[in-house]
Amino acid sequence: MTQTYTLLELLDGCKAGNRKMQEMLYKQTASKMLAVCMRYAKDRMEAEDSLQLGYIKIFQKIMEYRGEGSFEGWMRRIMVNTAIESYRRNIRAMNVVPIDDAYEQPATGFDFNRLGMQDLMKLIQNLADGYRLVFNMYAIEGYSHKEISELLGISEGASKSQLSRARAILKQEIIKMEGINYATYTG
Amino acid sequence: MQHIPDNEFDRLFKDRLMDAEVQPSEALWEHIAPQIVPKKKKRYAGLYWSAAATVLIAVSAGLLFKPQERIALHAPTVSTAVKPSSEQPVQVESQLDAVEETMNGSVTAATVKAGNDQALAKSQSEMTGARLMATENNSSAMQPNDEESHHHSVAAVQEPALALIQTQPAASNDAIVADQNDVAAEDPIASVALDEPAERTQESRPRIRNAGDLVNFVVDKIDKREQKFLEFRTDEDESSSLVAINIGPIKINQRKNNK
């Protein structure tokens, strides 16, 4: 069993440029940070690339962390910003799903309790890039539409419409999954 | 559940995903670690430059001094030994000091050997023979572990020197000087044979901790003078600085100035 340090101890060690403490910080926080990156990425490979870039930034900017807000929250924000930057750099056109598809209302209800963390992760990853970013930022990170519009360089209206489309697609997909589950249970 | 409010729908995702953990691949840290910029980058760059510069100087100076050494190695001929050139009195004197030191140490060892076969040290033809032996033994003495051959070579080299002094007992002051010059002329062979193994054992002790130490070590191999053409002062804390340069017209010695 390796020794565990508090985040504050690790923070001080990293500020001093201690290589061992840098590694310990990574080892203790990487799984949480990768979960953040996974939500913003299409797949695991893209998520790990993003995680790598995020940690390099964390160690470069660690002197700038002044103790305002939790250290973990600060690290999460860097991960999210890294994901946003790579999205904007790629300038992948927001794959607009035909409106008919997006707004098709689910025919049946769904049982959320059957869905595990990995199922929800998969659902989010399958969203088109623009939808995925907006949904993550609004629903999970808690950004306002104003903040999202500034960070992504889109209008507030676009942010709102993309969020509602994202929700609609997610609901649709959940019902599909329920149907498959139902089929496997009965068949 | 079809009409679940948006904020509740969002919350279901948030609750399950906010504190989620996904284990990254094993090797990922190995990719991150080398990309973290080291703090003291400037210092490393300077160190590499100074190391590169000193190696360049060491090599060029080594080439400069090479011809001189070669002449010295072939110097011991009888004619030059008996009639020492008066043109270089300063150089001869400085060499004498060094030779006398090596003589004092080794003469006692040599006389024990020489006492057993004094007949060897009588004629000049035998002397050249001994010198040949000496050079042969010299090459074998290069291997530091071979201590026996080292002793042989010491004895062999010193025998002709003794012979000269013994065969001319009634010589004047000038003659004695000539004798010593003869020995001085043999200095390169004698000193190489004597010094080489001893140096090996001594030099293995000081550790090479930094670029300065390394340069000192290499320079010491090339330049046998007391004032090296290049010398570094090395400290315990891994830093080194140039203290002495001695390349013909250019002579700098910080240590001297400090005294």
Side-chain angles (χ1 to χ4, degrees):
Chain A
M1 185 69 192
T2 49
Q3 196 188 343
T4 51
Y5 298 88
T6 66
L7 276 184
L8 219 67
E9 286 174 316
L10 291 170
L11 179 64
D12 286 342
C14 291
K15 279 186 175 176
N18 184 330
R19 185 45 67 98
K20 175 95 189 135
M21 294 300 248
Q22 286 172 340
E23 189 175 354
M24 289 304 297
L25 178 70
Y26 170 81
K27 289 241 158 83
Q28 284 189 30
T29 56
S31 59
K32 274 188 180 178
M33 294 306 133
L34 183 57
V36 175
C37 295
M38 289 282 273
R39 281 192 280 116
Y40 283 87
K42 226 177 19 265
D43 50 36
R44 192 190 174 90
M45 232 177 81
E46 197 183 308
E48 291 203 339
D49 284 348
S50 182
L51 183 79
Q52 206 171 314
L53 288 172
Y55 268 103
I56 292 164
K57 262 192 228 164
I58 285 170
F59 291 124
Q60 279 171 350
K61 293 185 169 189
I62 204 147
M63 299 302 279
E64 294 171 22
Y65 174 64
R66 302 256 175 257
E68 297 138 3
S70 80
F71 182 49
E72 196 186 308
W74 181 79
M75 288 175 74
R76 277 172 186 275
R77 265 201 302 286
I78 287 185
M79 290 296 167
V80 172
N81 287 340
T82 306
I84 293 169
E85 275 167 32
S86 72
Y87 165 76
R88 295 194 67 168
R89 200 171 38 244
N90 292 343
I91 317 180
R92 286 180 292 208
M94 295 198 184
N95 303 331
V96 180
V97 182
I99 289 172
D100 299 342
D101 263 14
Y103 281 102
E104 197 180 302
Q105 288 299 311
T108 53
F110 47 81
D111 185 3
F112 224 97
N113 294 324
R114 284 230 194 126
L115 296 170
M117 182 270 280
Q118 284 186 329
D119 294 322
L120 298 184
M121 190 79 89
K122 199 90 217 137
L123 286 170
I124 290 178
Q125 285 186 328
N126 284 339
L127 287 172
D129 292 339
Y131 294 170
R132 186 171 60 239
L133 252 74
V134 174
F135 183 78
N136 265 312
M137 289 170 82
Y138 186 90
I140 297 167
E141 257 73 50
Y143 287 95
S144 69
H145 283 301
K146 192 173 185 298
E147 287 172 314
I148 293 169
S149 71
E150 281 165 5
L151 284 164
L152 294 186
I154 56 173
S155 70
E156 274 187 59
S159 176
K160 279 175 189 169
S161 71
Q162 295 217 18
L163 175 68
S164 54
R165 281 180 201 179
R167 282 195 193 116
I169 293 166
L170 287 170
K171 283 177 187 173
Q172 205 178 20
E173 292 300 314
I174 289 167
I175 289 161
K176 265 192 207 165
M177 280 175 99
E178 290 289 315
I180 292 162
N181 285 347
Y182 182 75
T184 41
Y185 279 127
T186 52
Chain B
M1 216 177 268
Q2 192 172 332
H3 304 292
I4 180 171
D6 283 344
N7 60 343
E8 244 177 81
F9 181 81
D10 291 352
R11 186 165 199 84
L12 288 167
F13 275 87
K14 190 178 178 177
D15 287 347
R16 280 184 172 77
L17 292 175
M18 194 60 189
D19 294 317
E21 292 187 30
V22 181
Q23 210 59 42
S25 313
E26 281 290 309
L28 208 63
W29 173 251
E30 312 303 325
H31 294 290
I32 295 168
Q35 294 190 65
I36 303 168
V37 185
K39 262 186 164 182
K40 297 166 184 171
K41 200 183 175 185
K42 257 190 178 175
R43 194 189 145 181
Y44 288 124
L47 201 70
Y48 287 131
W49 273 113
S50 68
T54 47
V55 166
L56 189 74
I57 294 168
V59 169
S60 56
L63 292 170
L64 239 118
F65 281 100
K66 208 177 175 186
Q68 266 193 1
E69 266 195 289
R70 194 163 279 167
I71 291 163
L73 276 168
H74 293 293
T77 54
V78 179
S79 57
T80 51
V82 176
K83 295 173 184 174
S85 63
S86 55
E87 288 170 11
Q88 300 169 318
V90 180
Q91 203 179 354
V92 170
E93 264 179 27
S94 67
Q95 278 184 330
L96 272 174
D97 289 344
V99 172
E100 272 172 5
E101 273 183 24
T102 51
M103 284 286 285
N104 290 340
S106 53
V107 159
T108 46
T111 40
V112 177
K113 285 250 172 191
N116 289 337
D117 42 12
Q118 282 181 340
L120 261 172
K122 288 299 175 192
S123 69
Q124 283 208 337
S125 62
E126 277 174 345
M127 211 178 106
T128 47
R131 194 175 292 138
L132 269 172
M133 240 177 75
T135 42
E136 274 171 11
N137 285 335
N138 186 16
S139 61
S140 62
M142 295 292 270
Q143 297 159 332
N145 289 341
D146 200 350
E147 282 192 31
E148 264 198 79
S149 69
H150 168 217
H151 284 306
H152 280 307
S153 69
V154 170
V157 173
Q158 291 305 325
E159 272 170 7
L162 279 171
L164 257 183
I165 297 163
Q166 282 174 352
T167 47
Q168 299 178 332
S172 64
N173 282 347
D174 291 341
I176 290 165
V177 172
D179 280 346
Q180 287 179 332
N181 282 338
D182 182 24
V183 177
E186 283 184 21
D187 172 36
I189 293 173
S191 65
V192 165
L194 280 167
D195 292 346
E196 195 94 349
E199 271 178 16
R200 289 280 165 94
T201 50
Q202 270 195 345
E203 278 165 5
S204 65
R205 237 173 280 154
R207 294 199 335 269
I208 294 173
R209 294 178 303 263
N210 50 41
D213 276 326
L214 183 66
V215 172
N216 280 348
F217 177 80
V218 174
V219 168
D220 193 54
K221 284 283 165 201
I222 301 166
D223 191 356
K224 296 290 179 192
R225 298 173 304 171
E226 200 191 339
Q227 292 191 345
K228 312 290 185 197
F229 68 82
L230 196 65
E231 195 173 348
F232 274 88
R233 181 180 60 225
T234 57
D235 301 321
E236 288 295 326
D237 65 344
E238 295 187 341
S239 65
S240 55
S241 53
L242 194 66
V243 289
I245 297 174
N246 179 15
I247 314 171
I250 308 161
K251 285 188 184 178
I252 303 165
N253 196 334
Q254 289 182 0
R255 237 177 240 171
K256 217 176 190 176
N257 296 340
N258 289 342
K259 274 173 190 173

